[in-house]
Structure formats: structure tokens, C-alpha cells
Amino acid sequence: MGRKPPIARFRTRSFTKQCLEMLCTTAFERDFLGTALEEFGDRQEDLQQLSWADVVKLFWLSVHAELGQIQLDLFLSTFIPVVRDKVDAGERLSHRLSLSLLMASLRLDAIEDMMSLVSFEYRSLNTDDILRLCYIYAQSNQYESTDALGKELSRRISSNLLEEIRGVEFQDFLDHVPKIKWNPSIREKKEIYRKAEGCRTHLTASNIASLVQLLNRPPYLSAEDMQQVSSLVSYRLHLCSMKELGIIAKTLSRFHENSPRHWTTIMFDDIAAQATTCVDSADPKDVVRLIQAFQNAQIKPEGLLDVLDIWADKRLASMNAQGISLAMAHFARIGEASQRLLHTAVTVAESTMDQMSSSDASRLIWAFARLEYYPGDRLLQEGIQILQSSTTATDFSDRDTANLFWGIVKLGKYPSATEHSNIASKLYRTPGKLSGQSAALLLWSFASSQDATGNATAGQKFYSTIYRLGMEVYRDINQVDSQSISMTAWSLGVLKVPHKEFVSSLDQLVLSNRLNSFEPQHVSNLLWGLAKSGAHPSKDCLDSILQVLSGNLHAFSPQEIFNICWSYATLGVAASPIVPEIVLELEIRGTEFEGLELSGLAWSLSRLLRLQHIQDGYHNVDELPKRIVHIVEQELPKYMTSLEASQVAMAVVGLGRLSEMDKTININPSLIDFSLDTFHKNIVDDTFSISSVNTVLEGLQILGRQLPPALHAALRSNITVSTLTQTRIWETCDLCYNTCACNVTDVSLEILAFIDEQIADNQRITPRASIMLLHTMCQLDSYPTATVFQTTSKLASLSPNYNLSDKWLSVLAQTRKKLPMHIKHMLELHPEWEEKLQNL
């Protein structure tokens, strides 16, 4: 045909039919189909008149025409609706034409659309048609076969289907069937194996791998049956590539026994030997699959690993940025890579950094973090720049961002406070929803970085970003896993963000009983985060966690038990059901608990028992305080010198409170002396902490101990105006009261003078602090004017609904009796408070 026929020539007759006749001639020009497509869209009624055979012809003509993407999209958008309309109109399509239409659609990458329109009566298909259908499903990665096809294959094998398949057809059958949704029975598998054994000389390495893959589906063959199969595998093993070896090894790992003479051991040796011969051309993911199989079998193929190092030098060294990132991601997923391979990967990464996309860098840093290998500052700093950049590629997903940030922090490269702020600002501006899992990972990264460096990031935008990430986890609470939930709680605890919505969503976990599936670490981190963040979880939530813990504490580590105990103590919940169990674990596993856990448990358990006393008057406590003290006195001295000042302080006050509960307890004086010596050394050598000093002084009051002279001198030299200026007012009031109670009157007078200068400007003084200050002024016989005015005014205006404990009511009653008359007149309490004081 010398030139394209003018379209106008077909106007008088059926346009589409005439085009089809022209297209089917052997001499048609390929471009004519593209020209005709432009007219087809306006002739839908004409297109509906086409027969099924004509439609199938057009699909195949499009296959052979090798249309460009624009023309192909035009063809599919025109003719898939035609097929759909004909199906909806009930026009019957023969099985043979259906298969032909599917085969053409497969070639045109339109199989998913067509599969939803075409159906089969499998019993009416002949053997060739069944095999073609298997091929279609096997070639389509987008569409899964139906259960009905698998059932039909089972029925036909029972009816001697395999006898009808010969030569190349059986080889195709083996390659395609493993991709079909079908779990053949044991008998059917044996039939397939016998058929394969009968034509072993014709089978390819791909056939062998497919056969093993099929036989490895449930219901599983016995080890004896698989041993028979292994002889066939061995016959063709020398032809197998790395991909096929990985498939075979993965199956054999299920049957492996660690015995030198076991048949699987011999097979793995042969596989490793064959792998060394084909490693040069292997794809990284196939190498990883094979190594994973050896790991599953708990075998370390030394020879193969040595060859892999050589392979890394050759193959990895020639990769571009995307190639190296994908390769290392495969190794990271199995957690296995030699030092030489990792070193080569770092060298390649540095040489390709200029061409590296954001996604490549994210994937690579994530891989190095999973493999716990530091790739150098340059790559990690590039990652931090990507996190801050406002021009990140559009295909850089929230998961990429989360993985990148996680990898950087996991490798110990912590962004500065400014970089933190920039990253948060970028996330704050990022439109669209983040997944709950990505949000949890980002929260962990912010928190871990801040926890490691102590550099808190401030600002409303940072807080808003953290709150937004918490909201994403809240919205996805029913989809995210337990690790992400506990990670979120822990992160909010470190960042001290009480997230109301996230905390309220935990009630959904109670209703769905999901808490029962949480691992010990997840429960521990969840509770710790809730307590540390200052959140207020519901009673149902905390009671539900108690039910999960009760009877299961043996599965928790000492650190996790301490976290749980500390969390309930901090949240002010008695946790009565598990306290005896915690004490029992402490007795059974006392030597496993280290200094932090022992000192923390002394404080936490004393507080929990005190809370229990408030609730039910120490019922069912038995000799718990004495048992706790016994273990702490026995084990704590081993770790004393390694404790921080705050940890020593917890031990002192915890032991004091426990002895207060049981008057028969006599705390070993040498342990207290040892504790005070350690505390003194810590506050002299390390950072001075007002909070820790208050805790120790409280403990000494309970124990009736005097402050050692050396510690007294240390307090006098460290408690300065500069120190007090940086301390919260309520802590300063505590310190004034505690130093006075421990007869450190010179220090107490200086603190009182400082408070008097500050108190007029600080309206956040609490009723408890007011009582403490009044009591201290009585003891010191010193009444600074501003302090007297602020404390008496605070108590005079105190609402009768305020929750003030009996202890502080008692202190107030005793103090008021000792006050000078003019100050008593200033302290006019509400009538209800007066009545409470009289009833004490």
C-alpha cells in the first residue's frame, strides 16, 4: 500500500468494519491503526456492532502494531468500555476467544481490567486451554488466580491430566503452576513428582526450582518424601543460577537437621559449591535470598561468604547510586553482610553521592543502620540536609522520611537543636496525611536524638509538629502495631508532651483486647511514656494493663519490671494486684536486678504501698516492706558506687518510707552511710541537683539521721543564688523545709531570704508550699514580711474543695499553734478548713 487511505473513503459504509478489513490485509501500514484510533472514539454505536471475533482481532492488531504509549492508552480507553458493554449486554464470549482476548490484554498490560470482565466454566476447557490460562495467571503479577482454578487442577490431576501433558508442555506447566493460587494435596504432589522424575533429562534448572517451590506448599511433604525429591534436584543442581539455588535452599531449610551426615547437610554443601560458580552474575536480591536460607538452617557457608566478598568488590563497585542502595537494602533485611562488603558499599556510596537521589540516600542510610555499620559523616550529613530541605522530590514518601531520620539517629548522628527545629518545620508544612507507623518512627527519632544529647528543641512549631505526629498515630490506632504504639508513648514521654487524643485512643485497645498481645517491652515502654509525659490515662486503661501484667511478670526483664513499678507509682495508682508479684520476682531474681532497678524499686514500691494504705489501710500487705528491704540491703551495695546522685536519693527515701511502714524494720546504718558518701561524691564531682538533695533530706528525716558534716558543707557551697534562680519555686520551698527539718539552719535561712525576694513576683506558690514555709519560719523564728503575706493569703483564700492530705493538715494545725499572734490573725481559714483542723 503506497500511502494511507483517506478516512473519508469509509464514511458511506460501516467505518469500523471497513477499517478492520483494511487492517487485516497483509500490506497495511502500522501507522494506519493510530490514524483510525482518532476516529474510533466518536463512533461508539458503530463499535458496539462489532462481533467478539472482530474485537479480539483489534486487540491482537494493537499488539502487533507496537503502539506508542499515547496511542495505546487511547486504544484501551476506547475498547475496554466496548468489552464491558458487550458483557453487560449479555453477549456470550466463547472460551477460546476469551483466552485469546486475555492473551492479547496481557501483552498490552491491560490484564487486570480484562480479568474482571471475563469468566470461565473451567470444566468445559480442554487441557490446552487450562495450560494457557495457567500461563496468563503466571505472567500477570497484578492479578491472583481464583480458588476455582486450583480446584480444577486438582480434579484433572485425579483424571490423569499429567498423562495428557508431554515434553515442553510439562516444562511450561512446572514453571507456571507455582504462581497459581493452588495447594495440591500430598497425593497430587507425589503425582507431579513422579511425572517430573520420568522426564528428568528434559527438565531445566527453572523447572526444578518451580517444582521444589510447588512441593513446599501446605500440606507439607514428609522429610522422607523430600529426600526422594532431593535426588532429582541434585541431578540438575549444576545448571541452577543463584535465584534458583535460593528457592531450593529456602525449601530445604525446613527439613534441615544439624548432622554432618544428614541428607540436607549434603545438599546445602552442594548448593554452596554451586553458588560459588555463579555468584559473579548474580542479582543482589538472589544472593540475599540464598544467605537467608542458610541462616534459617543455621548454617554458615564460609566458602560462599568468602566468594561473596570478591563478588562485592566486583559487582557492587560497578553499581550506580540506585543500584548500591537497593543492593544494601536486600542485605539489611536479613541483617547479614561482611565487613569487607560493607566497606566496599561505603566506598561506592561516597563515589556516587553527587548522583544520589533523596530516596537512594534514605534507603542506603536505613540499610547501614539495620546492619549497624557507620558509613561516615558525609553520607549522614547529606541525610540531615535532605530532612531539612524544602525541595525534596515528590516521590520521597513519608515512609522514606521516617526511615531516613530513624537511620541517622540509630547510627548515632544526632541533629543539632537548630536542625531539629528545621526538620520539624518541614514536617509541619508537609501537606497530606502521614501513616501512623511513619509518624511513630519520626517521633522516636526526635525523642531519641533529644534523649541522647540533652538538647531540648523548643518553640510552638516544634511542639505542634510533635502533636501532629501523635494525632496521626491516634487516627491509625487500629492499624498500627503494638511496637509503634509503645514507641509513640515512649517518645511523648521523653519529649514531655501529654497527648490527650493519643492517650484517649488507648481505651480502644482495651475494648478490642489488643493489650493482651503486647510484648513485655511494649507494655513497659507504654506505661513509662504515659507516666513521663504527664498524661492522664483512664482507669479502665490502667486496670486493663494490670490484668495483662498479673501472673505474667516472670516474662519481664528487671528493667521492664522497674519501669512498670515506677510508672504506676508516678501515676498515683496503687497497682495492688501486682505489688506482691513484683516483690516475689525481686526475691527470686534478686541477683539479676542492678543498681538502678534496685534503688528505683525501693522508691516505687514504697510509694505504691503508701498508695495502697490510702486505699485500704495496708490490707493484704503482709511483710512486703520487710521483704523488699531485705533484698535491697543484700544486693544494692554491689552497685552503689556506680549509681548517680538521683538514684542514691531514691534508695535512701525508699528505704526510709518502707521502715516507716513497719516499725520492726531497722535499716542497716552502714548502708545509709555508704549511700550518703556516694551521694556526696556525686554532687561534688557531677551536676548538682536540687531535686536529688530534697529527696535525700526527706529520707534522712524519716530515718532520723543527721546530715554528715561533709555533706552539710557541700550543700552550703553549692546552694547559691545562681543555683536557686534556676530552680522552680516549689522545689525551693521544699529545700527550705527539708534543710530546716535536718537542722541545716544556716542554709535554710539563706534559702528563706532568697524566697522572700522572689515570692512577690511568683504567684504559683501552692498551698502545700505555703504550709511548709510557715512551718519553717516557725522553726527558724524568722518571719520575712513578703513570705508571711503570700503564704497566709494563699491559705486564707484556699477553696474547701482543694485536696490537701491529712499529713499537711496536721502540720498546719501544729504550726498555727506556734505562730506569733499577729500572724495568726492574718491566717483566717475557710470555716470548713477550720472544722477539719478541729477534727484532727
Side-chain angles (χ1 to χ4, degrees):
M1 191 160 80
R3 58 188 180 84
K4 297 177 186 177
I7 294 297
R9 169 181 314 181
F10 303 121
R11 302 272 181 191
T12 55
R13 298 175 53 211
S14 170
F15 172 82
T16 307
K17 196 72 174 176
Q18 290 292 313
C19 282
L20 188 57
E21 291 174 3
M22 178 63 70
L23 290 169
C24 289
T25 63
T26 57
F28 88 96
E29 286 190 16
R30 189 168 293 147
D31 287 345
F32 177 65
L33 178 58
T35 306
L37 282 173
E38 297 172 5
E39 295 286 334
F40 284 164
D42 298 327
R43 299 173 175 272
Q44 286 296 317
E45 292 184 5
D46 194 13
L47 295 177
Q48 293 300 324
Q49 304 305 314
L50 289 174
S51 68
W52 275 120
D54 291 338
V55 171
V56 173
K57 283 179 184 176
L58 279 169
F59 269 81
W60 276 108
L61 285 167
S62 296
V63 170
H64 296 309
E66 298 178 358
L67 299 174
Q69 189 60 50
I70 294 176
Q71 290 183 326
L72 177 59
D73 290 343
L74 178 59
F75 174 82
L76 294 175
S77 64
T78 302
F79 282 96
I80 286 179
V82 172
V83 174
R84 184 178 293 111
D85 291 343
K86 292 175 80 64
V87 170
D88 291 343
E91 293 188 31
R92 188 174 178 279
L93 178 63
S94 71
H95 293 314
R96 184 62 57 83
L97 287 176
S98 296
L99 283 168
S100 185
L101 184 59
L102 288 178
M103 291 286 278
S105 301
L106 183 65
R107 299 276 294 275
L108 296 173
D109 200 23
I111 188 67
E112 189 170 4
D113 294 313
M114 204 57 67
M115 277 290 192
S116 61
L117 299 175
V118 176
S119 60
F120 296 94
E121 293 178 10
Y122 293 113
R123 284 178 176 260
S124 61
L125 297 178
N126 60 31
T127 300
D128 289 342
D129 291 340
I130 287 287
L131 294 178
R132 287 193 189 95
L133 195 55
C134 288
Y135 167 82
I136 291 168
Y137 279 116
Q139 295 300 313
S140 172
N141 295 321
Q142 303 168 314
Y143 209 85
E144 191 178 52
S145 66
T146 62
D147 291 327
L149 179 57
K151 291 177 181 178
E152 182 62 21
L153 286 171
S154 292
R155 188 186 72 80
R156 297 213 177 196
I157 286 179
S158 300
S159 303
N160 298 319
L161 167 71
L162 297 177
E163 297 301 321
E164 301 177 28
I165 305 175
R166 303 190 182 278
V168 176
E169 287 182 343
F170 182 68
Q171 291 177 255
D172 291 342
F173 174 80
L174 284 178
D175 282 342
H176 301 151
V177 166
K179 300 173 185 176
I180 303 299
K181 190 178 178 182
W182 176 41
N183 290 336
S185 66
I186 297 292
R187 187 187 63 80
E188 291 159 4
K189 288 178 180 177
K190 289 181 177 180
E191 288 287 336
I192 295 169
Y193 166 68
R194 276 194 288 269
K195 176 72 174 181
E197 183 65 47
C199 56
R200 61 159 58 193
T201 57
H202 302 292
L203 298 183
T204 65
S206 173
N207 296 152
I208 294 294
S210 296
L211 174 65
V212 170
Q213 200 173 2
L214 180 64
L215 297 180
N216 193 38
R217 292 182 178 178
Y220 298 112
L221 292 174
S222 66
E224 291 75 16
D225 290 333
M226 280 305 298
Q227 186 173 1
Q228 291 183 15
V229 175
S230 68
S231 65
L232 176 59
V233 174
S234 297
Y235 179 73
R236 282 294 194 232
L237 198 63
H238 67 283
L239 300 176
C240 290
S241 66
M242 190 69 73
K243 177 180 180 180
E244 290 142 0
L245 291 173
I247 294 170
I248 294 168
K250 180 181 178 181
T251 300
L252 294 181
S253 64
R254 239 181 11 92
F255 301 94
H256 180 63
E257 295 179 12
N258 287 315
S259 168
R261 306 184 69 177
H262 193 261
W263 64 272
T264 54
T265 302
I266 298 170
M267 282 294 300
F268 272 110
D269 288 344
D270 293 343
I271 290 171
Q274 172 61 16
T276 62
T277 68
C278 57
V279 70
D280 284 347
S281 59
D283 189 289
K285 67 181 179 183
D286 296 328
V287 173
V288 168
R289 184 187 293 116
L290 181 61
I291 295 173
Q292 179 72 71
F294 274 93
Q295 284 185 336
N296 292 343
Q298 298 182 336
I299 297 174
K300 191 167 185 178
E302 299 288 354
L304 175 58
L305 294 177
D306 290 341
V307 172
L308 283 180
D309 285 339
I310 300 171
W311 168 83
D313 291 343
K314 293 180 181 178
R315 188 70 189 276
L316 294 185
S318 65
M319 288 183 175
N320 59 19
Q322 184 181 43
I324 192 66
S325 70
L326 289 170
M328 294 313 299
H330 290 309
F331 283 104
R333 290 188 181 96
I334 64 166
E336 179 73 40
S338 70
Q339 292 296 302
R340 181 171 167 181
L341 188 149
L342 289 166
H343 178 74
T344 301
V346 170
T347 303
V348 176
E350 289 181 345
S351 67
T352 59
M353 196 153 324
D354 292 341
Q355 293 81 42
M356 197 172 286
S357 70
S358 300
S359 296
D360 294 335
S362 172
R363 193 183 300 116
L364 196 54
I365 290 173
W366 172 85
F368 281 123
R370 284 287 299 266
L371 293 165
E372 299 180 356
Y373 189 83
Y374 195 79
D377 286 344
R378 186 184 171 200
L379 177 60
L380 297 183
Q381 194 58 47
E382 177 68 20
I384 292 174
Q385 292 302 318
I386 292 170
L387 288 173
Q388 299 179 83
S389 172
S390 59
T391 58
T392 308
T394 54
D395 62 343
F396 193 68
S397 67
D398 63 305
R399 187 65 182 176
D400 290 328
T401 303
N403 283 342
L404 176 56
F405 200 179
W406 174 86
I408 291 169
V409 173
K410 191 74 173 175
L411 288 165
K413 180 72 173 178
Y414 305 113
S416 65
T418 301
E419 289 168 337
H420 255 186
S421 182
N422 292 339
I423 295 168
S425 296
K426 177 186 173 181
L427 288 170
Y428 183 77
R429 296 191 306 269
T430 302
K433 181 182 178 300
L434 297 169
S435 72
Q437 191 170 358
S438 295
L441 212 54
L442 288 165
L443 281 170
W444 180 91
S445 303
F446 278 118
S448 295
S449 182
Q450 184 166 303
D451 189 45
T453 61
N455 297 326
T457 306
Q460 183 59 40
K461 190 167 289 187
F462 179 78
Y463 178 87
S464 298
T465 301
I466 298 302
Y467 211 88
R468 177 199 171 182
L469 294 173
M471 287 298 295
E472 301 295 0
V473 181
Y474 156 73
R475 293 189 186 100
D476 276 0
I477 196 70
N478 292 320
Q479 282 72 47
V480 294
D481 58 15
S482 60
Q483 183 178 15
S484 296
I485 293 170
S486 70
M487 194 187 298
T488 299
W490 180 88
S491 303
L492 293 171
V494 171
L495 297 168
K496 294 182 172 56
V497 176
H499 201 292
K500 182 179 178 181
E501 289 81 2
F502 170 73
V503 173
S504 69
S505 71
L506 300 179
D507 290 339
Q508 297 180 38
L509 305 182
V510 175
L511 294 174
S512 61
N513 293 321
R514 279 187 64 194
L515 287 172
N516 294 325
S517 64
F518 274 40
E519 295 179 10
Q521 184 184 9
H522 299 161
V523 176
S524 169
N525 286 347
L526 174 64
L527 276 171
W528 185 91
L530 292 173
K532 194 73 174 175
S533 69
H536 300 286
S538 69
K539 183 177 183 299
D540 287 344
C541 177
L542 294 174
D543 287 349
S544 181
I545 296 175
L546 281 176
Q547 292 176 14
V548 172
L549 295 170
S550 185
N552 295 310
L553 285 174
H554 61 277
F556 288 72
S557 70
Q559 176 69 47
E560 290 162 354
I561 290 174
F562 161 60
N563 283 349
I564 290 164
C565 196
W566 179 88
S567 301
Y568 274 105
T570 303
L571 289 165
V573 178
S576 303
I578 64 168
V579 170
E581 295 182 38
I582 291 173
V583 177
L584 183 60
E585 290 298 322
L586 189 58
E587 290 175 324
I588 293 172
R589 297 191 277 158
T591 56
E592 297 177 22
F593 287 80
E594 297 185 356
L596 170 62
E597 289 103 34
L598 290 165
S599 62
L601 283 170
W603 178 87
S604 303
L605 287 169
S606 68
R607 177 161 170 75
L608 290 176
L609 289 173
R610 190 160 66 175
L611 288 167
Q612 191 172 333
H613 166 62
I614 294 170
Q615 292 179 2
D616 57 22
Y618 286 130
H619 295 168
N620 303 319
V621 168
D622 299 325
E623 295 188 336
L624 291 179
K626 187 176 293 185
R627 291 162 63 190
I628 297 165
V629 168
H630 175 71
I631 296 297
V632 173
E633 285 185 331
Q634 182 177 304
E635 300 296 333
L636 186 60
K638 303 174 186 176
Y639 305 99
M640 186 65 74
T641 56
S642 65
L643 294 180
E644 298 175 2
S646 61
Q647 295 161 3
V648 176
M650 283 197 298
V652 172
V653 76
L655 290 169
R657 289 174 181 172
L658 290 166
S659 67
E660 195 177 33
M661 297 173 194
D662 185 342
K663 300 304 180 183
T664 66
I665 296 175
N666 294 309
I667 304 297
N668 186 345
S670 63
L671 176 60
I672 300 302
D673 291 340
F674 192 8
S675 300
L676 294 176
D677 287 345
T678 304
F679 184 79
H680 174 244
K681 184 177 184 301
N682 280 335
I683 65 171
V684 170
D685 296 343
D686 300 323
T687 304
F688 184 83
S689 166
I690 294 292
S691 175
S692 298
V693 170
N694 271 326
T695 305
V696 161
L697 292 175
E698 180 189 346
L700 292 180
Q701 291 174 57
I702 299 169
L703 292 165
R705 293 285 301 263
Q706 294 296 315
L707 196 68
L711 190 53
H712 186 156
L715 294 186
R716 189 185 301 114
S717 62
N718 280 281
I719 297 176
T720 63
V721 172
S722 175
T723 305
L724 295 175
T725 303
Q726 299 174 39
T727 305
R728 291 168 292 192
I729 185 65
W730 61 268
E731 281 189 310
T732 306
C733 295
D734 277 357
L735 185 63
C736 188
Y737 174 85
N738 288 327
T739 50
C740 179
C742 289
N743 296 318
V744 191
T745 54
D746 55 341
V747 175
S748 189
L749 280 167
E750 291 180 11
I751 298 170
L752 185 60
F754 172 82
I755 291 173
D756 195 59
E757 294 177 0
Q758 303 292 323
I759 198 166
D761 298 326
N762 197 318
Q763 303 303 317
R764 297 185 64 186
I765 186 170
T766 64
R768 174 177 170 274
S770 298
I771 295 170
M772 294 170 76
L773 288 173
L774 280 173
H775 179 80
T776 304
M777 287 187 286
C778 273
Q779 296 298 107
L780 297 172
D781 195 23
S782 175
Y783 300 97
T785 304
T787 305
V788 169
F789 177 77
Q790 288 293 342
T791 53
T792 54
S793 299
K794 185 70 175 182
L795 293 173
S797 62
L798 186 61
S799 166
N801 297 322
Y802 187 83
N803 184 19
L804 195 62
S805 70
D806 290 346
K807 173 187 173 180
W808 294 109
L809 271 175
S810 177
V811 172
L812 177 60
Q814 295 170 19
T815 300
R816 196 162 66 158
K817 292 175 184 178
K818 300 177 183 179
L819 286 171
M821 191 59 65
H822 71 284
I823 298 178
K824 275 186 182 179
H825 290 316
M826 296 173 67
L827 190 60
E828 295 182 3
L829 301 176
H830 191 281
E832 290 189 29
W833 285 117
E834 294 284 0
E835 183 179 348
K836 290 178 182 179
L837 290 175
Q838 292 174 8
N839 292 333
L840 283 174

